[in-house]
Amino acid sequence: AARLSLQLAPNLPLDSAAIGMGEDMHCASLFPGAEALGAALSPAAPPVMAIRAPGAPEPRLTLTLPALAGSGRLRLLIRGPAKRVALERALAEPDPARAPVGAVLRAARAAEIHWAA
């Protein structure tokens, strides 16, 4: 993760980033309850971090809040009524640890949400 952060840093901010979201309100690999989630959602986080999430058997690498939210245009792509409801909950949830996608969207310089029924 540290090596990838160093390699990515000169290319930040990203012009654009596209992410999805789970019904648990995670995005990228920023899962509620994940180890190091608070650090990954910090404005001082490095661009890439290792994350271990409940229910995900393998360790993951993720772009952090500053890398995602700092992109010129962040696009969230979701499908289905259950994810629409989860998105509404995430946008109303003030605790970023419970709804990481809401924290990323609120921090984004420019965000678009694309929803397909």
Side-chain angles (χ1 to χ4, degrees):
R3 187 176 80 240
L4 288 173
S5 284
L6 288 173
Q7 292 173 340
L8 182 60
N11 299 300
L12 294 176
L14 300 172
D15 290 334
S16 180
I19 59 174
M21 180 198 74
E23 290 180 28
D24 62 356
M25 300 178 284
H26 86 273
C27 65
S29 282
L30 302 169
F31 287 87
E35 293 177 17
L37 178 62
L41 293 176
S42 166
V48 178
M49 284 184 63
I51 292 280
R52 281 202 167 272
E58 70 285 337
R60 298 169 178 236
L61 292 175
T62 187
L63 291 175
T64 61
L65 180 138
L68 292 168
S71 69
R73 184 162 314 231
L74 179 67
R75 291 175 175 90
L76 174 66
L77 313 171
I78 61 172
R79 182 180 179 110
K83 288 193 179 180
R84 175 85 182 236
V85 169
L87 176 61
E88 291 169 3
R89 282 192 349 257
L91 293 175
E93 175 59 59
D95 182 358
R98 293 175 53 109
V101 71
V104 171
L105 290 171
R106 282 189 291 277
R109 290 186 343 183
E112 295 176 8
I113 299 169
H114 300 270
W115 174 69

